[in-house]
Amino acid sequence: MTGRQQKTDFDTASVGNPKSETLMAPNRAEPVLTSDGTENPAKRGPVIEQVHLMEEIIEYKNRQEALKRVIRNKGSPGVDGMTLGELPFYLQEDWKDIEEQLLHGTYNPSPVRQVEIPKPSGGIRKLGIPTVLDRYVQQMVLQILQRYIDPTFSDSSFGFRPNRSAHQAIARAQEHIQAGYCWVVDIDLEKFFDRVNHDVLMSLLAKRIRDKRVLKLIRAFLNSGVMSDGLTSFKSEGTPQGGPLSPLLSNVVLDVLDKELERRGHRFVRYADDCNIYVKSERSGSRVMENITRFLSKRLKLKVNEQKSAVGKPGARKFLGFSFLLGDVIKRIIAPQSLSKFKTRVRAITKRNRGWNLEYVIQDLNWYLKGWHGYFGFCEIPSILAKLDSWIRRRLRSLLWKQWKTPRNRRKELRSRGISGRSLKSASSGKGPWRMGASPVINHALPNDYFRSLGLYEFGSPQSK
């Protein structure tokens, strides 16, 4: 076998001897946190009593699963420039050194590469992109810690957890409202991922993890710094968005909030840093908002975003892109803000001055429509989706009308589509493309079936079910 062949066999050949890697079963106990987040000496847990947890993390099967996931998740290189395609070759050559560093607590992560992306609601979100090697190590740690820690999280927590989704969170919120909890305390944490206090987080992890090497490794990732424009900066707070481990760490911190809400007997739903607490009166909601804001500030050193947080009726608030139609039976509806963002995106794709062939426009549009419907198809008011279908077709009719340009060419196109007689006078209309897109003549010339024949994705069609 050649050296080149040996390198490509990393994901199937053993690196080290898996049989020699002993696994020790964790010993779980009852929850350890009291109402103020401190450890109750009368109880132990949830603690991973595994002092050899690092050995489990670097176990062969866990390594291979981590490599597959990191590659499947794709992503850009970090500060060292190594690509995902190069990672298996690097591990084949250098795994023994990496293994020694992990076992002896000397692994030193690289700074994350900072990138800025625009938020849909405006503003900038800063992402930290770890090197592919650091993403691989984080993924190994995540897979083991998640196995032990995730089952201890609240049943009302849905974000960044296996086999849980935003749809489940929305449905749970709907259940609370249907049960008569018709006021919501909508809490949004201000720059949560940027403000997670490292000391608070490590204190919480130390109550759960006994292997100090794992704790030291996590602290190293938190302290690795951020590189921007060639300069590295270090902070005592924040978990950069972009690393595999950050979502689990955020849930460890906010589990303290969940346990406090459970202790107080509240009905709530939390998805990442969005938390909705459901109460029966506005007065009760105001009291809860005040108390929880104080708790978050004092216990977790987190700040509530006052502009985005409020006490209100669920029908007037937005949760994960949805709102609720109140009545005898509570219905899920798409929030107005989500509909506005949808239309803004569709307008950009169907701009009348792009000069694209209609087939290309529809192909580009379908990518967005399918993904959007995969999430917002959870809406329980079909008429909303039917109106969007109609609105999209009008956009496309307007696009074609604009592309036909001159009255002579428009008359020719209309005639070729079966329009005759006085109806051809529409070709000389001075009305704009948007108004013409809704005219009976254009609708007859470009019926719904015409767009279906071009493959336009429709929310109400069998293909979208």
Side-chain angles (χ1 to χ4, degrees), residues 50-55 209-215:
Q50 164 66 290
V51 293
H52 297 289
L53 189 62
M54 185 62 79
E55 280 76 9
I209 299 171
R210 290 291 179 251
D211 192 328
K212 295 187 186 231
R213 295 168 299 178
V214 177
L215 293 172

Side-chain angles (χ1 to χ4, degrees), residues 397 401 404 410-411 413-415 417-427 429 435-447:
R397 291 185 180 106
W401 186 257
W404 291 347
R410 287 168 178 170
R411 191 177 297 108
E413 293 287 351
L414 289 174
R415 189 179 286 114
R417 288 167 168 77
I419 304 300
S420 60
R422 298 181 63 181
S423 296
L424 288 172
K425 290 183 178 180
S426 297
S429 173
R435 290 187 65 184
M436 290 304 297
S439 73
V441 172
I442 304 304
N443 274 262
H444 184 75
L446 301 170

Side-chain angles (χ1 to χ4, degrees), residues 133-299:
L133 177 61
D134 286 343
R135 296 209 294 269
Y136 169 69
V137 174
Q138 285 192 40
Q139 184 65 39
M140 287 195 299
V141 176
L142 170 67
Q143 289 169 181
I144 299 302
L145 292 188
Q146 195 167 55
R147 183 189 308 167
Y148 296 130
I149 295 178
D150 186 82
T152 71
F153 289 150
S154 168
D155 186 52
S156 297
S157 166
F158 292 88
F160 307 134
R161 298 185 61 189
N163 303 315
R164 287 183 167 241
S165 68
H167 285 174
Q168 292 173 331
I170 295 160
R172 179 69 62 83
Q174 187 178 8
E175 291 174 9
H176 293 328
I177 301 167
Q178 188 68 61
Y181 293 80
C182 53
W183 286 87
V184 59
V185 182
D186 186 356
I187 294 177
D188 181 271
L189 296 175
E190 187 173 294
K191 297 181 179 179
F192 168 71
F193 285 94
D194 295 332
R195 292 187 171 173
V196 172
N197 184 279
H198 291 179
D199 291 335
V200 170
L201 172 56
M202 292 309 302
S203 173
L204 294 170
L205 287 171
K207 291 182 174 74
R208 294 174 177 267
I209 299 171
R210 290 291 179 251
D211 192 328
K212 295 187 186 231
R213 295 168 299 178
V214 177
L215 293 172
K216 185 177 180 181
L217 178 61
I218 294 174
R219 173 69 88 166
F221 278 118
L222 293 174
N223 293 340
S224 61
V226 176
M227 181 173 288
S228 179
D229 298 326
L231 299 176
T232 302
S233 59
F234 301 91
K235 297 181 179 180
S236 62
E237 59 182 17
T239 58
Q241 298 181 67
L245 200 51
S246 292
L248 177 67
L249 299 182
S250 71
N251 272 334
V252 168
V253 173
L254 291 177
D255 187 58
V256 178
L257 170 62
D258 297 341
K259 294 300 193 290
E260 176 67 12
L261 293 174
E262 289 177 345
R263 186 188 72 83
R264 298 185 184 193
H266 288 309
R267 296 196 178 207
F268 70 98
V269 180
R270 184 177 64 79
Y271 191 95
D273 55 343
D274 286 332
C275 183
N276 277 8
I277 307 167
Y278 295 89
V279 295
K280 291 192 172 182
S281 71
E282 184 177 14
R283 182 180 178 183
S284 198
S286 299
R287 185 173 62 252
V288 170
M289 175 69 82
E290 181 182 350
N291 291 339
I292 295 303
T293 298
R294 188 186 309 115
F295 174 83
L296 287 166
S297 175
K298 183 177 180 180
R299 175 66 185 97

Side-chain angles (χ1 to χ4, degrees), residues 450-461:
Y450 170 70
F451 296 106
R452 292 189 187 109
S453 71
L454 296 177
L456 177 65
Y457 184 86
E458 291 180 297
F459 299 140
S461 68

